[in-house]
Amino acid sequence: TALAKAPRRGGAAAAAAAAVAAEASVGYVDVHCHLTHRAFEGPAGQDAAVARARAAGLSRVVVNGMEPRSNRDVLALCARHQDVLRPALGIYPLNACANQIDSAEFMSRLAGMALPEAFDVAEELAFIEEAAASGSLAAIGEAGMDKMYGFNDRLFGAQEEVLRELCRIARFCRKSAWNWRTFIASWVGSSCYTSEQVRENWGSRSPMLAIFSPFLPR
């Protein structure tokens, strides 16, 4: 009996050791960043940031797009660094309602903020869905609703329509092209804020929403 049990104990120990080794191999994963932002000053600055991420021990970095230009920039950047970067495409709340914005009203409420460029939202959603269905994406995002930009029912409604479509795309791809679990994490500003800090800093602003899929480093 003792001899019969020994292999099982050894097997359990080996499995535990393998689990520890697998966990150690994952390293750190940044699930949301914007390496295509102008602050990185183009490809050279982006590549330098990726090199720093590697040196710091990041094994994967999910890079998020916000509108047509950045979505395509994200794909190009991730193609250059396939060992560590993974793309996420989406539409930021401000951009989601750009077609509905009255410029005078916008400038009076959000003085100093650049007016977002309008684009064909349906066309961009189709682009995102095609990329997601092909299995090219690690995530759907940016995505969300934000009353700082959706300061009237028309704008907030436009944000909601886009969010619903992005959620639909995420659900569809979970059932077909994607082999990863898809889930939704929501927060106001940052997950490290307490409810008291949220009320103090954001007041009546609505929660931001991020949609992403966990994946194993490959």
Side-chain angles (χ1 to χ4, degrees), residues 55-130:
L58 282 171
S59 59
R60 291 293 183 272
V61 177
V62 179
V63 188
N64 292 76
M66 302 193 300
E67 27 66 36
R69 179 195 57 77
S70 63
N71 281 338
R72 285 148 187 80
D73 288 348
V74 163
L75 292 175
L77 173 60
C78 291
R80 295 204 308 272
H81 300 283
Q82 297 182 33
D83 63 313
V84 65
L85 300 187
R86 294 293 183 270
L89 305 185
I91 300 177
Y92 190 67
L94 173 60
N95 303 98
C97 60
N99 293 338
Q100 305 292 329
I101 289 175
D102 177 273
S103 58
E105 183 181 20
F106 181 89
M107 298 309 296
S108 68
R109 284 178 171 268
L110 301 170
M113 181 176 289
L115 191 68
E117 182 179 351
F119 59 92
D120 189 323
V121 173
E123 184 176 295
E124 189 61 14
L125 287 168
F127 177 81
I128 293 169
E129 183 165 12
E130 182 178 357

Side-chain angles (χ1 to χ4, degrees), residues 27-217:
Y28 291 101
V29 177
D30 184 341
V31 299
H32 187 114
C33 72
H34 296 282
L35 289 176
T36 60
H37 191 275
R38 62 179 179 276
F40 290 99
E41 300 179 343
Q46 295 166 355
D47 294 345
V50 174
R52 293 193 298 272
R54 287 194 189 96
L58 282 171
S59 59
R60 291 293 183 272
V61 177
V62 179
V63 188
N64 292 76
M66 302 193 300
E67 27 66 36
R69 179 195 57 77
S70 63
N71 281 338
R72 285 148 187 80
D73 288 348
V74 163
L75 292 175
L77 173 60
C78 291
R80 295 204 308 272
H81 300 283
Q82 297 182 33
D83 63 313
V84 65
L85 300 187
R86 294 293 183 270
L89 305 185
I91 300 177
Y92 190 67
L94 173 60
N95 303 98
C97 60
N99 293 338
Q100 305 292 329
I101 289 175
D102 177 273
S103 58
E105 183 181 20
F106 181 89
M107 298 309 296
S108 68
R109 284 178 171 268
L110 301 170
M113 181 176 289
L115 191 68
E117 182 179 351
F119 59 92
D120 189 323
V121 173
E123 184 176 295
E124 189 61 14
L125 287 168
F127 177 81
I128 293 169
E129 183 165 12
E130 182 178 357
S134 72
S136 302
L137 305 183
I140 298 297
E142 291 274 349
M145 298 174 68
D146 191 332
K147 276 196 170 180
M148 185 174 80
Y149 309 126
F151 45 75
N152 61 42
D153 290 343
R154 183 182 71 258
L155 299 180
F156 206 54
Q159 291 182 8
E160 181 179 0
E161 288 181 12
V162 172
L163 176 58
R164 286 181 181 276
E165 279 301 296
L166 291 172
C167 288
R168 181 191 62 77
I169 292 169
R171 288 193 64 189
F172 168 77
C173 292
R174 176 187 178 184
K175 293 178 180 178
S176 58
W178 290 359
N179 294 319
W180 312 308
R181 292 167 296 164
T182 301
F183 67 93
I184 297 175
S186 62
W187 68 94
V188 181
S190 170
S191 57
C192 67
Y193 279 88
T194 65
S195 58
E196 290 76 15
Q197 289 172 317
V198 166
R199 285 194 292 270
E200 179 181 352
N201 290 285
W202 275 272
S204 62
R205 286 179 58 185
S206 61
M208 290 294 295
L209 188 71
I211 305 168
F212 59 97
S213 301
F215 54 87
L216 296 176

Side-chain angles (χ1 to χ4, degrees), residues 5-18:
K5 290 181 178 179
R8 287 200 292 272
R9 288 200 297 270

